[in-house]
Amino acid sequence: MLLIGPVLVSARKGPKATAGAVIWSVALTVTWSVALSVADRHSGEFSPAAVALDCLVLIMGGGTAVYGARRRTEREAELRHVAQRSRDAVLRPLAAEVDGVVFSSLYRSVSEFGLGGDLYDLAHTPHGPRLLIGDVRGHGPEAAMLCAATVGAFREGACGSPALADLAAHLDARISGDLGPEDFVTVLLAEFAPGEVRLVNCGHPAPLRIGLRAEPLAPSRPSAPLGLDPRPQLQRARLGAGERLLLFTDGLSEARDAQGTMLPLDDRVREAACLPLLPECLEALLSLATTHAGGSLQDDLALIMCEPRCATPTGHGTGRTIALSSGAGADARHP
């Protein structure tokens, strides 16, 4: 009976906690036997050999539980490592300047192994920098596989599609075979040109233009997500020097407090998005969402901040990509 404790601990905890449970079981056996012998010292039923045998059985069984706990933690560590490498191959951290636009990203997953349903990517194309952010229905490995398929389709079609609406149609066609009966993917595509940003939104939360206020750039006619016959329209918006564009998944806008109230995209969001360095902005937004949700997020979260630096001609310019050195790499951290 006393072996049940170490076995249960080994199924959830590591080898140290399991060894502690074994020690407590052995100590309880000895203490209980001594207490019975003192309470009934004349019965003659106390047997040191029997107590030693019980302790030996506990130690042997507990040792097996400790070994099992160690093997389980090693396998989990290996799985986490593989999952992290796979995630980093799909979700490459953004910390670069492309054609006069600075990009910075942050990603957090609520999954144990860091595999979630949010996705993003950046492509330098003849049409200018093109950005993708999206959210797959669901969580876990299945959602991560669909994320990889969507990002792969974006990398395949970002340069060859002359218009953003064509790129959205390419994504929809390429991932249709990977979608289940109830699966869909919300995506937002952005293309940057001097003084403006062009958007195609397929069921995704509208980005925020951060200037004198936080202004959502919602499409005039909403479109269905990928997998549900999307028919998006091109949207053009001003994005000049001194303004920023915040793209996010619903892990930010739908973060809920204990009463179920979603995080309002108000002045607190604008203040966080106006910090001097883009990685600082993203960390502040993550902290804002986490605090609102009571200390832990309930959904995956991806954030991308974009800021025009200068009006460098896009597409036919130098095509340079410069890694930022003034702390921008800090946003590349993963959980």
PDB file of all heavy atoms in Angstrom, residues 154-194:
ATOM      1  N   PHE A 154       3.020  30.250 -47.571  1.00  0.00           N
ATOM      2  CA  PHE A 154       3.355  31.676 -47.673  1.00  0.00           C
ATOM      3  C   PHE A 154       4.751  31.864 -48.255  1.00  0.00           C
ATOM      4  O   PHE A 154       4.959  32.695 -49.150  1.00  0.00           O
ATOM      5  CB  PHE A 154       3.259  32.327 -46.291  1.00  0.00           C
ATOM      6  CG  PHE A 154       3.743  33.751 -46.253  1.00  0.00           C
ATOM      7  CD1 PHE A 154       2.960  34.779 -46.750  1.00  0.00           C
ATOM      8  CD2 PHE A 154       4.983  34.053 -45.709  1.00  0.00           C
ATOM      9  CE1 PHE A 154       3.404  36.096 -46.715  1.00  0.00           C
ATOM     10  CE2 PHE A 154       5.439  35.364 -45.670  1.00  0.00           C
ATOM     11  CZ  PHE A 154       4.651  36.388 -46.174  1.00  0.00           C
ATOM     12  N   ARG A 155       5.714  31.101 -47.771  1.00  0.00           N
ATOM     13  CA  ARG A 155       7.079  31.225 -48.293  1.00  0.00           C
ATOM     14  C   ARG A 155       7.144  30.835 -49.768  1.00  0.00           C
ATOM     15  O   ARG A 155       7.956  31.375 -50.523  1.00  0.00           O
ATOM     16  CB  ARG A 155       8.016  30.353 -47.465  1.00  0.00           C
ATOM     17  CG  ARG A 155       8.166  30.827 -46.023  1.00  0.00           C
ATOM     18  CD  ARG A 155       8.967  29.860 -45.174  1.00  0.00           C
ATOM     19  NE  ARG A 155       9.035  30.317 -43.778  1.00  0.00           N
ATOM     20  CZ  ARG A 155       9.562  29.607 -42.778  1.00  0.00           C
ATOM     21  NH1 ARG A 155      10.070  28.399 -43.009  1.00  0.00           N
ATOM     22  NH2 ARG A 155       9.580  30.097 -41.556  1.00  0.00           N
ATOM     23  N   GLU A 156       6.293  29.921 -50.144  1.00  0.00           N
ATOM     24  CA  GLU A 156       6.269  29.476 -51.536  1.00  0.00           C
ATOM     25  C   GLU A 156       5.665  30.514 -52.462  1.00  0.00           C
ATOM     26  O   GLU A 156       6.131  30.705 -53.593  1.00  0.00           O
ATOM     27  CB  GLU A 156       5.477  28.174 -51.627  1.00  0.00           C
ATOM     28  CG  GLU A 156       5.327  27.597 -53.010  1.00  0.00           C
ATOM     29  CD  GLU A 156       4.413  26.389 -53.009  1.00  0.00           C
ATOM     30  OE1 GLU A 156       3.180  26.579 -53.113  1.00  0.00           O
ATOM     31  OE2 GLU A 156       4.914  25.260 -52.890  1.00  0.00           O
ATOM     32  N   GLY A 157       4.628  31.222 -52.008  1.00  0.00           N
ATOM     33  CA  GLY A 157       3.899  32.119 -52.887  1.00  0.00           C
ATOM     34  C   GLY A 157       4.122  33.592 -52.668  1.00  0.00           C
ATOM     35  O   GLY A 157       3.588  34.409 -53.425  1.00  0.00           O
ATOM     36  N   ALA A 158       4.901  33.983 -51.638  1.00  0.00           N
ATOM     37  CA  ALA A 158       5.032  35.405 -51.310  1.00  0.00           C
ATOM     38  C   ALA A 158       5.665  36.198 -52.442  1.00  0.00           C
ATOM     39  O   ALA A 158       5.259  37.335 -52.720  1.00  0.00           O
ATOM     40  CB  ALA A 158       5.849  35.572 -50.029  1.00  0.00           C
ATOM     41  N   CYS A 159       6.663  35.641 -53.105  1.00  0.00           N
ATOM     42  CA  CYS A 159       7.346  36.374 -54.173  1.00  0.00           C
ATOM     43  C   CYS A 159       6.618  36.264 -55.510  1.00  0.00           C
ATOM     44  O   CYS A 159       6.660  37.180 -56.325  1.00  0.00           O
ATOM     45  CB  CYS A 159       8.782  35.864 -54.318  1.00  0.00           C
ATOM     46  SG  CYS A 159       9.845  36.241 -52.905  1.00  0.00           S
ATOM     47  N   GLY A 160       5.964  35.151 -55.759  1.00  0.00           N
ATOM     48  CA  GLY A 160       5.363  34.916 -57.066  1.00  0.00           C
ATOM     49  C   GLY A 160       3.978  35.477 -57.249  1.00  0.00           C
ATOM     50  O   GLY A 160       3.499  35.588 -58.386  1.00  0.00           O
ATOM     51  N   SER A 161       3.298  35.846 -56.163  1.00  0.00           N
ATOM     52  CA  SER A 161       1.933  36.375 -56.277  1.00  0.00           C
ATOM     53  C   SER A 161       1.984  37.877 -56.467  1.00  0.00           C
ATOM     54  O   SER A 161       2.487  38.603 -55.598  1.00  0.00           O
ATOM     55  CB  SER A 161       1.119  36.036 -55.023  1.00  0.00           C
ATOM     56  OG  SER A 161       1.060  34.636 -54.827  1.00  0.00           O
ATOM     57  N   PRO A 162       1.488  38.401 -57.581  1.00  0.00           N
ATOM     58  CA  PRO A 162       1.606  39.846 -57.829  1.00  0.00           C
ATOM     59  C   PRO A 162       0.775  40.709 -56.878  1.00  0.00           C
ATOM     60  O   PRO A 162       1.127  41.852 -56.605  1.00  0.00           O
ATOM     61  CB  PRO A 162       1.113  39.994 -59.273  1.00  0.00           C
ATOM     62  CG  PRO A 162       0.252  38.794 -59.515  1.00  0.00           C
ATOM     63  CD  PRO A 162       0.837  37.692 -58.694  1.00  0.00           C
ATOM     64  N   ALA A 163      -0.336  40.186 -56.373  1.00  0.00           N
ATOM     65  CA  ALA A 163      -1.208  40.959 -55.492  1.00  0.00           C
ATOM     66  C   ALA A 163      -1.466  40.175 -54.213  1.00  0.00           C
ATOM     67  O   ALA A 163      -1.419  38.940 -54.192  1.00  0.00           O
ATOM     68  CB  ALA A 163      -2.534  41.286 -56.187  1.00  0.00           C
ATOM     69  N   LEU A 164      -1.761  40.913 -53.144  1.00  0.00           N
ATOM     70  CA  LEU A 164      -2.008  40.259 -51.855  1.00  0.00           C
ATOM     71  C   LEU A 164      -3.226  39.359 -51.902  1.00  0.00           C
ATOM     72  O   LEU A 164      -3.251  38.295 -51.277  1.00  0.00           O
ATOM     73  CB  LEU A 164      -2.183  41.312 -50.758  1.00  0.00           C
ATOM     74  CG  LEU A 164      -0.918  41.937 -50.167  1.00  0.00           C
ATOM     75  CD1 LEU A 164      -1.293  42.844 -48.998  1.00  0.00           C
ATOM     76  CD2 LEU A 164       0.080  40.887 -49.718  1.00  0.00           C
ATOM     77  N   ALA A 165      -4.264  39.773 -52.628  1.00  0.00           N
ATOM     78  CA  ALA A 165      -5.450  38.925 -52.739  1.00  0.00           C
ATOM     79  C   ALA A 165      -5.113  37.618 -53.446  1.00  0.00           C
ATOM     80  O   ALA A 165      -5.641  36.553 -53.099  1.00  0.00           O
ATOM     81  CB  ALA A 165      -6.557  39.664 -53.485  1.00  0.00           C
ATOM     82  N   ASP A 166      -4.200  37.681 -54.426  1.00  0.00           N
ATOM     83  CA  ASP A 166      -3.748  36.454 -55.089  1.00  0.00           C
ATOM     84  C   ASP A 166      -2.984  35.565 -54.116  1.00  0.00           C
ATOM     85  O   ASP A 166      -3.106  34.334 -54.161  1.00  0.00           O
ATOM     86  CB  ASP A 166      -2.860  36.796 -56.282  1.00  0.00           C
ATOM     87  CG  ASP A 166      -3.596  37.575 -57.357  1.00  0.00           C
ATOM     88  OD1 ASP A 166      -4.834  37.428 -57.444  1.00  0.00           O
ATOM     89  OD2 ASP A 166      -2.946  38.343 -58.095  1.00  0.00           O
ATOM     90  N   LEU A 167      -2.192  36.185 -53.256  1.00  0.00           N
ATOM     91  CA  LEU A 167      -1.449  35.412 -52.262  1.00  0.00           C
ATOM     92  C   LEU A 167      -2.398  34.732 -51.287  1.00  0.00           C
ATOM     93  O   LEU A 167      -2.188  33.566 -50.912  1.00  0.00           O
ATOM     94  CB  LEU A 167      -0.479  36.327 -51.508  1.00  0.00           C
ATOM     95  CG  LEU A 167       0.378  35.674 -50.418  1.00  0.00           C
ATOM     96  CD1 LEU A 167       1.163  34.487 -50.958  1.00  0.00           C
ATOM     97  CD2 LEU A 167       1.321  36.712 -49.795  1.00  0.00           C
ATOM     98  N   ALA A 168      -3.462  35.421 -50.876  1.00  0.00           N
ATOM     99  CA  ALA A 168      -4.456  34.802 -49.992  1.00  0.00           C
ATOM    100  C   ALA A 168      -5.123  33.620 -50.677  1.00  0.00           C
ATOM    101  O   ALA A 168      -5.347  32.564 -50.054  1.00  0.00           O
ATOM    102  CB  ALA A 168      -5.495  35.834 -49.564  1.00  0.00           C
ATOM    103  N   ALA A 169      -5.446  33.760 -51.958  1.00  0.00           N
ATOM    104  CA  ALA A 169      -6.044  32.647 -52.697  1.00  0.00           C
ATOM    105  C   ALA A 169      -5.067  31.483 -52.812  1.00  0.00           C
ATOM    106  O   ALA A 169      -5.470  30.310 -52.735  1.00  0.00           O
ATOM    107  CB  ALA A 169      -6.470  33.127 -54.087  1.00  0.00           C
ATOM    108  N   HIS A 170      -3.782  31.795 -52.985  1.00  0.00           N
ATOM    109  CA  HIS A 170      -2.760  30.738 -53.046  1.00  0.00           C
ATOM    110  C   HIS A 170      -2.692  29.982 -51.721  1.00  0.00           C
ATOM    111  O   HIS A 170      -2.640  28.744 -51.704  1.00  0.00           O
ATOM    112  CB  HIS A 170      -1.403  31.371 -53.367  1.00  0.00           C
ATOM    113  CG  HIS A 170      -0.248  30.433 -53.221  1.00  0.00           C
ATOM    114  ND1 HIS A 170       0.098  29.504 -54.189  1.00  0.00           N
ATOM    115  CD2 HIS A 170       0.646  30.267 -52.198  1.00  0.00           C
ATOM    116  CE1 HIS A 170       1.145  28.816 -53.786  1.00  0.00           C
ATOM    117  NE2 HIS A 170       1.498  29.256 -52.590  1.00  0.00           N
ATOM    118  N   LEU A 171      -2.713  30.713 -50.616  1.00  0.00           N
ATOM    119  CA  LEU A 171      -2.677  30.062 -49.307  1.00  0.00           C
ATOM    120  C   LEU A 171      -3.888  29.160 -49.110  1.00  0.00           C
ATOM    121  O   LEU A 171      -3.768  28.025 -48.625  1.00  0.00           O
ATOM    122  CB  LEU A 171      -2.623  31.115 -48.196  1.00  0.00           C
ATOM    123  CG  LEU A 171      -1.397  32.023 -48.122  1.00  0.00           C
ATOM    124  CD1 LEU A 171      -1.528  32.992 -46.961  1.00  0.00           C
ATOM    125  CD2 LEU A 171      -0.118  31.217 -47.984  1.00  0.00           C
ATOM    126  N   ASP A 172      -5.048  29.666 -49.472  1.00  0.00           N
ATOM    127  CA  ASP A 172      -6.282  28.889 -49.303  1.00  0.00           C
ATOM    128  C   ASP A 172      -6.233  27.597 -50.116  1.00  0.00           C
ATOM    129  O   ASP A 172      -6.632  26.528 -49.630  1.00  0.00           O
ATOM    130  CB  ASP A 172      -7.481  29.742 -49.703  1.00  0.00           C
ATOM    131  CG  ASP A 172      -8.812  29.050 -49.434  1.00  0.00           C
ATOM    132  OD1 ASP A 172      -9.054  28.672 -48.264  1.00  0.00           O
ATOM    133  OD2 ASP A 172      -9.595  28.880 -50.371  1.00  0.00           O
ATOM    134  N   ALA A 173      -5.730  27.686 -51.334  1.00  0.00           N
ATOM    135  CA  ALA A 173      -5.669  26.497 -52.188  1.00  0.00           C
ATOM    136  C   ALA A 173      -4.624  25.502 -51.686  1.00  0.00           C
ATOM    137  O   ALA A 173      -4.854  24.286 -51.710  1.00  0.00           O
ATOM    138  CB  ALA A 173      -5.357  26.918 -53.627  1.00  0.00           C
ATOM    139  N   ARG A 174      -3.486  26.000 -51.223  1.00  0.00           N
ATOM    140  CA  ARG A 174      -2.390  25.115 -50.840  1.00  0.00           C
ATOM    141  C   ARG A 174      -2.690  24.345 -49.560  1.00  0.00           C
ATOM    142  O   ARG A 174      -2.254  23.209 -49.403  1.00  0.00           O
ATOM    143  CB  ARG A 174      -1.097  25.916 -50.671  1.00  0.00           C
ATOM    144  CG  ARG A 174      -0.533  26.451 -51.965  1.00  0.00           C
ATOM    145  CD  ARG A 174       0.032  25.325 -52.820  1.00  0.00           C
ATOM    146  NE  ARG A 174       1.242  24.759 -52.229  1.00  0.00           N
ATOM    147  CZ  ARG A 174       1.528  23.476 -52.166  1.00  0.00           C
ATOM    148  NH1 ARG A 174       0.672  22.599 -52.628  1.00  0.00           N
ATOM    149  NH2 ARG A 174       2.660  23.055 -51.635  1.00  0.00           N
ATOM    150  N   ILE A 175      -3.414  24.939 -48.612  1.00  0.00           N
ATOM    151  CA  ILE A 175      -3.645  24.251 -47.339  1.00  0.00           C
ATOM    152  C   ILE A 175      -4.983  23.529 -47.297  1.00  0.00           C
ATOM    153  O   ILE A 175      -5.312  22.906 -46.280  1.00  0.00           O
ATOM    154  CB  ILE A 175      -3.555  25.227 -46.149  1.00  0.00           C
ATOM    155  CG1 ILE A 175      -4.741  26.202 -46.142  1.00  0.00           C
ATOM    156  CG2 ILE A 175      -2.244  25.986 -46.149  1.00  0.00           C
ATOM    157  CD1 ILE A 175      -4.839  27.024 -44.876  1.00  0.00           C
ATOM    158  N   SER A 176      -5.752  23.605 -48.368  1.00  0.00           N
ATOM    159  CA  SER A 176      -7.088  22.989 -48.349  1.00  0.00           C
ATOM    160  C   SER A 176      -7.015  21.490 -48.075  1.00  0.00           C
ATOM    161  O   SER A 176      -7.892  20.927 -47.400  1.00  0.00           O
ATOM    162  CB  SER A 176      -7.795  23.245 -49.676  1.00  0.00           C
ATOM    163  OG  SER A 176      -7.052  22.701 -50.763  1.00  0.00           O
ATOM    164  N   GLY A 177      -5.972  20.836 -48.570  1.00  0.00           N
ATOM    165  CA  GLY A 177      -5.848  19.402 -48.335  1.00  0.00           C
ATOM    166  C   GLY A 177      -5.448  19.049 -46.925  1.00  0.00           C
ATOM    167  O   GLY A 177      -5.584  17.885 -46.509  1.00  0.00           O
ATOM    168  N   ASP A 178      -4.927  20.019 -46.158  1.00  0.00           N
ATOM    169  CA  ASP A 178      -4.515  19.766 -44.776  1.00  0.00           C
ATOM    170  C   ASP A 178      -5.605  20.089 -43.765  1.00  0.00           C
ATOM    171  O   ASP A 178      -5.428  19.835 -42.567  1.00  0.00           O
ATOM    172  CB  ASP A 178      -3.268  20.610 -44.436  1.00  0.00           C
ATOM    173  CG  ASP A 178      -2.090  20.266 -45.323  1.00  0.00           C
ATOM    174  OD1 ASP A 178      -1.689  19.092 -45.319  1.00  0.00           O
ATOM    175  OD2 ASP A 178      -1.581  21.168 -46.020  1.00  0.00           O
ATOM    176  N   LEU A 179      -6.709  20.655 -44.222  1.00  0.00           N
ATOM    177  CA  LEU A 179      -7.773  21.077 -43.321  1.00  0.00           C
ATOM    178  C   LEU A 179      -8.767  19.948 -43.082  1.00  0.00           C
ATOM    179  O   LEU A 179      -9.164  19.258 -44.018  1.00  0.00           O
ATOM    180  CB  LEU A 179      -8.507  22.284 -43.883  1.00  0.00           C
ATOM    181  CG  LEU A 179      -7.717  23.582 -44.048  1.00  0.00           C
ATOM    182  CD1 LEU A 179      -8.533  24.620 -44.797  1.00  0.00           C
ATOM    183  CD2 LEU A 179      -7.284  24.117 -42.696  1.00  0.00           C
ATOM    184  N   GLY A 180      -9.155  19.785 -41.804  1.00  0.00           N
ATOM    185  CA  GLY A 180     -10.215  18.862 -41.472  1.00  0.00           C
ATOM    186  C   GLY A 180     -11.575  19.495 -41.724  1.00  0.00           C
ATOM    187  O   GLY A 180     -11.678  20.667 -42.119  1.00  0.00           O
ATOM    188  N   PRO A 181     -12.643  18.744 -41.466  1.00  0.00           N
ATOM    189  CA  PRO A 181     -13.994  19.271 -41.737  1.00  0.00           C
ATOM    190  C   PRO A 181     -14.316  20.551 -40.983  1.00  0.00           C
ATOM    191  O   PRO A 181     -15.092  21.372 -41.471  1.00  0.00           O
ATOM    192  CB  PRO A 181     -14.912  18.123 -41.302  1.00  0.00           C
ATOM    193  CG  PRO A 181     -14.056  16.896 -41.349  1.00  0.00           C
ATOM    194  CD  PRO A 181     -12.682  17.350 -40.992  1.00  0.00           C
ATOM    195  N   GLU A 182     -13.744  20.729 -39.784  1.00  0.00           N
ATOM    196  CA  GLU A 182     -14.063  21.905 -38.976  1.00  0.00           C
ATOM    197  C   GLU A 182     -12.863  22.838 -38.810  1.00  0.00           C
ATOM    198  O   GLU A 182     -12.895  23.735 -37.971  1.00  0.00           O
ATOM    199  CB  GLU A 182     -14.568  21.468 -37.598  1.00  0.00           C
ATOM    200  CG  GLU A 182     -15.843  20.632 -37.650  1.00  0.00           C
ATOM    201  CD  GLU A 182     -16.331  20.242 -36.270  1.00  0.00           C
ATOM    202  OE1 GLU A 182     -15.636  20.571 -35.285  1.00  0.00           O
ATOM    203  OE2 GLU A 182     -17.397  19.616 -36.170  1.00  0.00           O
ATOM    204  N   ASP A 183     -11.811  22.631 -39.585  1.00  0.00           N
ATOM    205  CA  ASP A 183     -10.608  23.452 -39.452  1.00  0.00           C
ATOM    206  C   ASP A 183     -10.703  24.715 -40.294  1.00  0.00           C
ATOM    207  O   ASP A 183     -11.346  24.738 -41.350  1.00  0.00           O
ATOM    208  CB  ASP A 183      -9.371  22.659 -39.879  1.00  0.00           C
ATOM    209  CG  ASP A 183      -9.039  21.538 -38.915  1.00  0.00           C
ATOM    210  OD1 ASP A 183      -9.451  21.638 -37.751  1.00  0.00           O
ATOM    211  OD2 ASP A 183      -8.384  20.571 -39.337  1.00  0.00           O
ATOM    212  N   PHE A 184     -10.045  25.759 -39.817  1.00  0.00           N
ATOM    213  CA  PHE A 184      -9.894  26.991 -40.588  1.00  0.00           C
ATOM    214  C   PHE A 184      -8.691  27.742 -40.030  1.00  0.00           C
ATOM    215  O   PHE A 184      -8.196  27.447 -38.937  1.00  0.00           O
ATOM    216  CB  PHE A 184     -11.152  27.860 -40.537  1.00  0.00           C
ATOM    217  CG  PHE A 184     -11.555  28.286 -39.156  1.00  0.00           C
ATOM    218  CD1 PHE A 184     -10.995  29.406 -38.556  1.00  0.00           C
ATOM    219  CD2 PHE A 184     -12.499  27.557 -38.445  1.00  0.00           C
ATOM    220  CE1 PHE A 184     -11.373  29.796 -37.275  1.00  0.00           C
ATOM    221  CE2 PHE A 184     -12.877  27.935 -37.160  1.00  0.00           C
ATOM    222  CZ  PHE A 184     -12.310  29.059 -36.575  1.00  0.00           C
ATOM    223  N   VAL A 185      -8.227  28.713 -40.795  1.00  0.00           N
ATOM    224  CA  VAL A 185      -7.064  29.513 -40.405  1.00  0.00           C
ATOM    225  C   VAL A 185      -7.381  30.978 -40.675  1.00  0.00           C
ATOM    226  O   VAL A 185      -7.683  31.352 -41.819  1.00  0.00           O
ATOM    227  CB  VAL A 185      -5.802  29.108 -41.187  1.00  0.00           C
ATOM    228  CG1 VAL A 185      -4.586  29.884 -40.674  1.00  0.00           C
ATOM    229  CG2 VAL A 185      -5.547  27.603 -41.077  1.00  0.00           C
ATOM    230  N   THR A 186      -7.337  31.805 -39.655  1.00  0.00           N
ATOM    231  CA  THR A 186      -7.454  33.245 -39.876  1.00  0.00           C
ATOM    232  C   THR A 186      -6.068  33.788 -40.207  1.00  0.00           C
ATOM    233  O   THR A 186      -5.079  33.429 -39.563  1.00  0.00           O
ATOM    234  CB  THR A 186      -8.003  33.958 -38.628  1.00  0.00           C
ATOM    235  OG1 THR A 186      -7.024  33.928 -37.581  1.00  0.00           O
ATOM    236  CG2 THR A 186      -9.276  33.296 -38.132  1.00  0.00           C
ATOM    237  N   VAL A 187      -5.988  34.642 -41.215  1.00  0.00           N
ATOM    238  CA  VAL A 187      -4.703  35.218 -41.602  1.00  0.00           C
ATOM    239  C   VAL A 187      -4.873  36.692 -41.923  1.00  0.00           C
ATOM    240  O   VAL A 187      -5.943  37.148 -42.350  1.00  0.00           O
ATOM    241  CB  VAL A 187      -4.069  34.496 -42.815  1.00  0.00           C
ATOM    242  CG1 VAL A 187      -3.781  33.045 -42.497  1.00  0.00           C
ATOM    243  CG2 VAL A 187      -4.924  34.627 -44.046  1.00  0.00           C
ATOM    244  N   LEU A 188      -3.794  37.412 -41.705  1.00  0.00           N
ATOM    245  CA  LEU A 188      -3.700  38.808 -42.109  1.00  0.00           C
ATOM    246  C   LEU A 188      -2.403  38.961 -42.883  1.00  0.00           C
ATOM    247  O   LEU A 188      -1.331  38.603 -42.390  1.00  0.00           O
ATOM    248  CB  LEU A 188      -3.703  39.730 -40.887  1.00  0.00           C
ATOM    249  CG  LEU A 188      -3.467  41.221 -41.158  1.00  0.00           C
ATOM    250  CD1 LEU A 188      -4.614  41.808 -41.968  1.00  0.00           C
ATOM    251  CD2 LEU A 188      -3.294  41.992 -39.849  1.00  0.00           C
ATOM    252  N   LEU A 189      -2.497  39.468 -44.106  1.00  0.00           N
ATOM    253  CA  LEU A 189      -1.344  39.718 -44.956  1.00  0.00           C
ATOM    254  C   LEU A 189      -1.113  41.218 -45.035  1.00  0.00           C
ATOM    255  O   LEU A 189      -2.062  41.997 -45.196  1.00  0.00           O
ATOM    256  CB  LEU A 189      -1.565  39.155 -46.354  1.00  0.00           C
ATOM    257  CG  LEU A 189      -1.747  37.635 -46.451  1.00  0.00           C
ATOM    258  CD1 LEU A 189      -2.228  37.250 -47.846  1.00  0.00           C
ATOM    259  CD2 LEU A 189      -0.448  36.920 -46.108  1.00  0.00           C
ATOM    260  N   ALA A 190       0.144  41.615 -44.929  1.00  0.00           N
ATOM    261  CA  ALA A 190       0.496  43.034 -44.996  1.00  0.00           C
ATOM    262  C   ALA A 190       1.648  43.214 -45.968  1.00  0.00           C
ATOM    263  O   ALA A 190       2.597  42.419 -45.981  1.00  0.00           O
ATOM    264  CB  ALA A 190       0.873  43.574 -43.620  1.00  0.00           C
ATOM    265  N   GLU A 191       1.564  44.265 -46.754  1.00  0.00           N
ATOM    266  CA  GLU A 191       2.618  44.620 -47.719  1.00  0.00           C
ATOM    267  C   GLU A 191       2.963  46.090 -47.504  1.00  0.00           C
ATOM    268  O   GLU A 191       2.065  46.947 -47.449  1.00  0.00           O
ATOM    269  CB  GLU A 191       2.118  44.386 -49.138  1.00  0.00           C
ATOM    270  CG  GLU A 191       3.126  44.716 -50.221  1.00  0.00           C
ATOM    271  CD  GLU A 191       2.526  44.466 -51.596  1.00  0.00           C
ATOM    272  OE1 GLU A 191       2.523  43.302 -52.031  1.00  0.00           O
ATOM    273  OE2 GLU A 191       2.016  45.437 -52.216  1.00  0.00           O
ATOM    274  N   PHE A 192       4.255  46.373 -47.375  1.00  0.00           N
ATOM    275  CA  PHE A 192       4.681  47.718 -46.991  1.00  0.00           C
ATOM    276  C   PHE A 192       5.277  48.458 -48.191  1.00  0.00           C
ATOM    277  O   PHE A 192       6.085  47.918 -48.951  1.00  0.00           O
ATOM    278  CB  PHE A 192       5.711  47.647 -45.866  1.00  0.00           C
ATOM    279  CG  PHE A 192       5.154  47.076 -44.591  1.00  0.00           C
ATOM    280  CD1 PHE A 192       5.114  45.697 -44.388  1.00  0.00           C
ATOM    281  CD2 PHE A 192       4.648  47.904 -43.601  1.00  0.00           C
ATOM    282  CE1 PHE A 192       4.589  45.167 -43.223  1.00  0.00           C
ATOM    283  CE2 PHE A 192       4.119  47.376 -42.438  1.00  0.00           C
ATOM    284  CZ  PHE A 192       4.088  46.005 -42.246  1.00  0.00           C
ATOM    285  N   ALA A 193       4.841  49.704 -48.350  1.00  0.00           N
ATOM    286  CA  ALA A 193       5.359  50.608 -49.369  1.00  0.00           C
ATOM    287  C   ALA A 193       5.606  51.956 -48.696  1.00  0.00           C
ATOM    288  O   ALA A 193       5.110  52.211 -47.584  1.00  0.00           O
ATOM    289  CB  ALA A 193       4.357  50.747 -50.516  1.00  0.00           C
ATOM    290  N   PRO A 194       6.388  52.827 -49.310  1.00  0.00           N
ATOM    291  CA  PRO A 194       6.657  54.117 -48.675  1.00  0.00           C
ATOM    292  C   PRO A 194       5.379  54.875 -48.334  1.00  0.00           C
ATOM    293  O   PRO A 194       4.563  55.176 -49.196  1.00  0.00           O
ATOM    294  CB  PRO A 194       7.480  54.862 -49.741  1.00  0.00           C
ATOM    295  CG  PRO A 194       8.130  53.790 -50.533  1.00  0.00           C
ATOM    296  CD  PRO A 194       7.137  52.672 -50.568  1.00  0.00           C
TER     297      PRO A 194
END
